[in-house]
Amino acid sequence: MLNAKLSMQVFGLYLFIIPGLGLMIAPHMLLGLFGLSAGDDAWIRMVGLLASIIGTYYLLAVRSGVTELFGWSVPIRIYAAAFMILLAVTGVVGAGIVLFAAIDLLGAYWTWTALRVSTSEY
């Protein structure tokens, strides 16, 4: 379970810092790195706020031992990544969003494999 906890901590910190604080403080700079537009400044900052809140929930779940969230997060992160990829494929947003999708997929895979290993140890 240690590796699953670590994967959730890393992903929680990522959510809090990169899309969270990044979109709240410097949305044009962050999204510009990936060829994406910040659009209406206020809305993208609200998305950053939501990302930071979700990241905080991940961190609090790890600290409190709410391990059920670990498994719940895997399909949700895959869902998020699939939606981002769909937006890129249909041309709604630039291809830079695929990097965010890849981070979600890699994080989900890390958590999923860590959970499989920890349950097979018992």
Side-chain angles (χ1 to χ4, degrees):
M1 189 62 70
L2 178 64
N3 204 12
K5 287 172 97 172
L6 179 61
S7 76
M8 293 293 287
Q9 286 175 322
V10 168
F11 197 73
L13 283 171
Y14 157 75
L15 280 176
F16 183 81
I17 295 169
I18 305 299
L21 293 179
L23 291 176
M24 288 168 45
I25 296 169
H28 298 284
M29 183 189 78
L30 177 64
L31 294 177
L33 293 172
F34 305 102
L36 302 171
S37 169
D40 182 5
D41 197 50
W43 283 108
I44 201 66
R45 290 177 193 270
M46 291 301 294
V47 169
L49 172 65
L50 292 173
S52 71
I53 290 169
I54 294 168
T56 301
Y57 278 131
Y58 276 51
L59 296 170
L60 291 172
V62 170
R63 180 190 288 177
S64 300
V66 184
T67 57
E68 294 86 0
L69 181 69
F70 300 5
W72 301 339
S73 75
V74 172
I76 292 169
R77 289 188 270 169
I78 293 169
Y79 169 68
F83 185 70
M84 287 184 257
I85 292 168
L86 177 67
L87 290 175
V89 168
T90 58
V92 174
V93 297
I97 196 80
V98 174
L99 178 60
F100 289 104
I103 292 169
D104 273 14
L105 285 174
L106 290 171
Y109 180 74
W110 181 13
T111 303
W112 178 71
T113 56
L115 287 171
R116 286 191 52 193
V117 168
S118 69
T119 57
S120 68
E121 291 175 350
Y122 299 105

